[in-house]
Amino acid sequence: MLSPRNRRNIGRIIPYGVLWFIFSVIYCILEKSILGNLDHYPSTGVPYNFARNITIIPVAGLMMGMMTGILEIGYFSKWLIKKSFTRKILFKSLIYLVIVVVFLIIITVINMLYNKDNYSLENLSSPAWAFFTDYALMGIMLYIASIIVISQLYAEFSESIGTGTLRNFFLGKYYHPIEEERIFMFLDMKSSTTIAENLGHVKYFEMLREYFFDLSGSVIDYAGTIYQYAGDEMIVCWKLKDGLRKNNCIECFFAMKRSLEMQTEKYNSKFGLLPGFKAGLHYGKVVTGEIGSLKKEIIFTGDVLNTSARIQGLCNQFDVDLLVSEDLVKILDLPFAYAIRSVGENLLKGRSKSIEIFAISISAQ
């Protein structure tokens, strides 16, 4: 089975292929409307066959789109993550321009070899040169450039609001509110006020950016979704089945701990400290839906969010890093590697009934 990270990456790559495929089909239709009843391309004399083009060009577009997606997700998103939007666009546009020119040369040569029996290796350059010096090439390049820009805007927009959120907006999944069961983890940095005072606001923000970046990898690896950032707090959620599978919601917390510990040297050298965090988890029903007019968001509403936040707020009181509600502990299947200890029943603010809360830690070997 594919890991959550690989499933997520495949889900992020596919839309690029779909975008290029759709624009390739549109191009074929526009080309047909321009050429009309002509049976050849005026600039090169190469025969024109709409039935062939409507099959080959979209397939080629799909391949180009998938290649774009692989480059974006596999390489550019890592190399350029700390670069400005403008620098990303310029750098990637240059790379794509080279790829597209090479791609067009290959397609042109293949098309001529397929259609022209009288072309030899010596005179293949004639129609190719005619194509690459004709004004029609400018139109094709502008059209391809528009696809590249749209793809890059999609990439940046997707990263800004979240791939799953953008997909749900397009599909209209939550246009009408839906009730679903989810697990929420409210994760809060320890002693953030003191750290901010010691580092200064600018340096603290730089640390916060590194901190969230380093934690995000574990969220991906354990099938979670980052719902919101609120100051130094991160809210992570799972659909119930995803959070329970292999104890993802609990494993994610300890993977985050390990991820930060591996970066101890980096944090100490840059900021003089290694930030710590605490978290509270709970599950229950929420209503999910689109909200807003000037700025749309997909939000969750329900008591489970308030309860998760209140549970996290008790970590300092009990001097623990992870607290989990009784409801969630009952449906987890934790191995013996974890120690589960009740910290008693607590009446959380906003609730009429007390709830038993458990601290979870790694068992001493």
Side-chain angles (χ1 to χ4, degrees):
M1 293 179 64
L2 293 173
S3 68
R5 180 181 289 271
N6 287 335
R7 286 201 303 271
R8 179 177 183 271
N9 286 340
I10 291 172
R12 294 167 70 195
I13 290 170
I14 288 174
Y16 291 95
V18 173
L19 274 174
W20 279 78
F21 179 83
I22 291 172
F23 277 100
S24 297
V25 172
I26 294 172
Y27 171 79
C28 290
I29 295 172
L30 290 174
E31 184 182 57
K32 175 62 177 176
S33 67
I34 293 170
L35 294 178
N37 295 322
L38 290 177
D39 60 358
H40 64 279
Y41 291 98
S43 60
T44 61
V46 174
Y48 167 69
N49 186 310
F50 174 72
R52 185 192 70 242
N53 284 9
I54 198 67
T55 302
I56 294 176
I57 292 178
V59 171
L62 178 64
M63 293 171 59
M64 185 65 190
M66 298 299 282
M67 184 190 302
T68 301
I70 292 170
L71 288 173
E72 287 283 350
I73 306 306
Y75 300 97
F76 293 150
S77 62
K78 299 174 183 177
W79 294 345
L80 306 175
I81 191 167
K82 296 182 180 180
K83 301 295 182 182
S84 68
F85 176 76
T86 303
R87 288 186 177 183
K88 288 181 183 178
I89 293 294
L90 291 175
F91 177 79
K92 290 191 288 186
S93 295
L94 180 62
I95 297 296
Y96 289 136
L97 178 62
V98 173
I99 294 174
V100 166
V101 170
V102 173
F103 193 70
L104 284 175
I105 292 173
I106 293 172
I107 290 295
T108 302
V109 172
I110 291 175
N111 194 32
M112 289 185 299
L113 288 173
Y114 182 81
N115 290 284
K116 286 288 188 178
D117 295 333
N118 60 332
Y119 276 122
S120 64
L121 292 176
E122 289 77 16
N123 61 15
L124 270 177
S125 60
S126 178
W129 178 254
F131 171 71
F132 282 100
T133 56
D134 190 77
Y135 72 90
L137 176 65
M138 183 180 295
I140 293 173
M141 291 300 292
L142 285 174
Y143 188 80
I144 293 175
S146 68
I147 304 176
I148 290 173
V149 170
I150 290 172
S151 298
Q152 292 188 64
L153 289 175
Y154 168 82
E156 294 300 317
F157 191 47
S158 177
E159 290 298 317
S160 295
I161 71 170
T163 306
T165 303
L166 183 60
R167 181 171 59 248
N168 289 332
F169 270 127
F170 283 144
L171 297 177
K173 181 177 180 180
Y174 296 114
Y175 182 76
H176 299 289
I178 296 174
E179 188 176 66
E180 43 187 20
E181 285 189 305
R182 286 183 177 260
I183 299 171
F184 283 85
M185 175 168 66
F186 277 65
L187 185 143
D188 187 54
M189 184 187 292
K190 293 180 179 179
S191 307
S192 58
T193 303
T194 303
I195 294 173
E197 290 176 351
N198 292 336
L199 292 178
H201 295 299
V202 175
K203 197 72 173 177
Y204 173 70
F205 184 84
E206 291 176 0
M207 188 198 72
L208 205 59
R209 184 160 52 188
E210 296 274 355
Y211 167 78
F212 283 138
F213 177 80
D214 290 332
L215 295 182
S216 297
S218 299
V219 177
I220 295 171
D221 289 336
Y222 290 93
T225 301
I226 297 175
Y227 171 45
Q228 283 180 348
Y229 297 107
D232 64 323
E233 186 174 66
M234 176 192 285
I235 304 173
V236 184
C237 70
W238 293 261
K239 289 184 177 179
L240 185 59
K241 64 176 182 179
D242 294 330
L244 294 180
R245 184 183 294 119
K246 297 182 179 179
N247 301 303
N248 277 333
C249 61
I250 302 298
E251 295 285 354
C252 179
F253 175 84
F254 291 102
M256 287 175 165
K257 287 280 188 185
R258 294 190 296 272
S259 178
L260 277 192
E261 288 169 0
M262 290 171 62
Q263 302 293 332
T264 299
E265 184 178 345
K266 177 186 76 173
Y267 282 96
N268 283 335
S269 63
K270 284 187 175 182
F271 311 108
L273 58 92
L274 178 67
F277 57 85
K278 53 191 185 295
L281 283 94
H282 182 49
Y283 95 96
K285 290 184 178 179
V286 292
V287 174
T288 312
E290 287 185 28
I291 196 170
S293 177
L294 296 178
K295 180 179 181 295
K296 287 185 177 293
E297 285 188 55
I298 294 176
I299 69 165
F300 304 108
T301 60
D303 178 66
V304 60
L305 283 93
N306 291 329
T307 301
S308 301
R310 304 298 182 196
I311 291 173
Q312 182 272 126
L314 294 174
C315 286
N316 287 342
Q317 178 180 326
F318 295 107
D319 192 27
V320 294
D321 290 341
L322 179 61
L323 289 175
V324 181
S325 69
E326 176 187 15
D327 294 341
L328 182 54
V329 166
K330 285 181 177 178
I331 59 175
L332 288 169
D333 185 22
L334 293 175
F336 292 111
Y338 292 104
I340 305 174
R341 173 175 61 88
S342 173
V343 296
E345 299 218 353
N346 291 264
L347 184 60
L348 303 177
K349 185 178 179 181
R351 292 179 65 98
S352 57
K353 294 182 179 180
S354 60
I355 177 174
E356 188 172 9
I357 299 173
F358 293 84
I360 297 180
S361 59
I362 301 293
S363 298
Q365 298 298 322

